[in-house]
């Protein structure tokens, strides 16, 4: 008798679940889109000086981690590794090119990566040395934004300090975005200042890499010097 009573209840619960899922399709899709990606590498040592990976993407992620940290050298170990090019050394070479040419932060900051690969019984040992185009300490000042529209808002807060260089890591760079639109964002942020600032003599925007939906934008600002401003004010008064 107990089984006969629980069967309709099970059917009702199943029907309710199906109806609930039918009305929540879009919600499920949004949840799927926000899944956190699986970590591609891990720390092999307690100090974090040795990185472990098992796939090519893990190798790339480990190299990018070194770049983000501004590390000038690193040690990687590839366990149970299956090559995508046929040889681990070729994979490392390809990964280094990907990091320095295709990744926005790598294309901006890294000059080149040197490496050597040694095969042991259990893993491939990879030692890398990174050379930078900039002072690696500057990487901690890179500002990450989801899209280029946030650049103007960030600049409105930064311009009162008269920075000479501001670097943005833009997560989504649309087809309408360009160096020109970012220069306009700087000008708009300047015009929206509540307190007067020295004139901006030049706004230079460099994008890294030169294509793709993710970019690093290095914005260099040249401010009018106090001496030049004083001379211009004197000349302006003489004309009056």
């Amino acid at each position: 008798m107990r089984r006969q009573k629980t069967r309709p209840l099970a059917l009702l619960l199943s029907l309710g679940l199906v109806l609930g899922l039918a009305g929540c399709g879009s919600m499920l899709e949004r949840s799927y889109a926000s899944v956190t990606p699986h970590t591609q590498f891990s720390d092999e040592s307690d100090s974090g000086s040795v990185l472990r990976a098992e796939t090519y993407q893990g190798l790339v992620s480990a190299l990018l981690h070194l770049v983000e940290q501004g590390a000038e050298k690193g040690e990687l170990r590839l366990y149970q590794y299956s090559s995508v090019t046929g040889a681990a050394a070729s994979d490392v070479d390809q990964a280094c090119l990907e990091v320095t040419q295709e990744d926005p932060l790598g294309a901006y900051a890294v000059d080149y990566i040197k490496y050597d690969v040694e095969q042991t019984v259990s893993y491939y040992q990879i030692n890398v040395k990174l050379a930078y185009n900039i002072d690696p300490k500057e990487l901690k000042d890179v500002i990450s934004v989801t899209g280029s529209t946030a650049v103007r808002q960030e600049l409105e807060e930064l311009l009162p300090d008269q920075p000479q260089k501001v670097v943005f890591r833009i997560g989504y760079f649309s087809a309408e975005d360009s160096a020109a639109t970012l220069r306009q964002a700087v000008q708009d942020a300047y015009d929206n200042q509540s307190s007067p600032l020295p004139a901006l003599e030049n706004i230079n925007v460099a994008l890294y890499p030169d294509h793709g939906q993710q970019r690093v934008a290095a914005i260099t600002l040249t401010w009018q010097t106090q001496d030049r401003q004083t001379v211009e004010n004197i000349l302006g008064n003489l004309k009056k």
Side-chain angles (χ1 to χ4, degrees), residues 169-212:
R169 191 178 188 178
I170 303 174
Y172 178 67
F173 201 82
S174 70
E176 290 74 25
D177 294 326
S178 65
T181 60
L182 291 178
R183 279 193 293 270
Q184 186 59 49
V186 177
Q187 188 62 54
D188 292 342
Y190 179 86
D191 294 338
N192 286 339
Q193 294 298 306
S194 57
S195 300
L197 292 173
L200 272 174
E201 295 184 340
N202 187 47
I203 303 171
N204 182 68
V205 178
L207 298 174
Y208 305 86
D210 58 5
H211 64 280

Side-chain angles (χ1 to χ4, degrees), residues 41 60-71 99 103 105-106 109-110 130 132 136-142 144 169:
F41 70 95
V60 173
S61 296
L63 289 171
L64 288 174
H65 175 73
L66 294 175
V67 173
E68 290 173 348
Q69 300 300 311
V99 168
D103 179 78
L105 194 63
V110 182
L130 300 92
Y132 292 87
K137 295 179 181 178
E138 294 181 21
L139 289 168
K140 64 180 177 59
D141 297 324
V142 175
S144 295
R169 191 178 188 178

Side-chain angles (χ1 to χ4, degrees), residues 90-162:
S90 297
D91 283 10
V92 176
D93 187 61
Q94 179 173 298
C96 290
L97 288 175
E98 183 174 334
V99 168
T100 57
Q101 297 181 7
E102 299 180 21
D103 179 78
L105 194 63
Y108 162 66
V110 182
D111 186 9
Y112 61 87
I113 302 176
K114 294 176 62 177
Y115 65 87
D116 61 72
V117 181
E118 179 183 353
Q119 184 175 4
T120 69
V121 176
S122 303
Y123 53 83
Y124 289 98
Q125 175 79 22
I126 304 168
N127 297 301
V128 297
K129 293 183 179 180
L130 300 92
Y132 292 87
N133 294 313
I134 62 170
D135 186 340
K137 295 179 181 178
E138 294 181 21
L139 289 168
K140 64 180 177 59
D141 297 324
V142 175
I143 302 171
S144 295
V145 293
T146 54
S148 60
T149 54
V151 170
R152 181 182 61 81
Q153 298 173 351
E154 293 287 339
L155 286 170
E156 286 185 4
E157 298 181 5
L158 294 171
L159 289 185
D161 294 330
Q162 300 177 36

Side-chain angles (χ1 to χ4, degrees), residues 3-24:
R3 292 180 180 176
Q4 292 177 352
K5 289 181 180 180
T6 56
R7 190 173 299 168
L9 178 59
L11 290 173
L12 287 173
L13 290 174
S14 299
L15 179 60
L17 180 60
V18 171
L19 291 175
L21 290 175
C24 299

Side-chain angles (χ1 to χ4, degrees), residues 16-85:
L17 180 60
V18 171
L19 291 175
L21 290 175
C24 299
S26 60
M27 181 180 69
L28 291 176
E29 290 176 3
R30 288 196 297 272
S31 298
Y32 177 80
S34 62
V35 170
T36 302
H38 176 68
T39 303
Q40 300 287 343
F41 70 95
S42 60
D43 293 337
E44 177 76 3
S45 62
D46 294 336
S47 62
S49 59
V50 181
L51 302 178
R52 170 180 180 146
E54 298 180 0
T55 64
Y56 175 79
Q57 286 305 319
L59 168 61
V60 173
S61 296
L63 289 171
L64 288 174
H65 175 73
L66 294 175
V67 173
E68 290 173 348
Q69 300 300 311
E72 296 183 0
K73 62 181 180 179
E75 185 177 342
L76 288 68
R77 292 177 182 174
L78 303 180
Y79 287 86
Q80 300 176 339
Y81 185 75
S82 179
S83 174
V84 296
T85 64

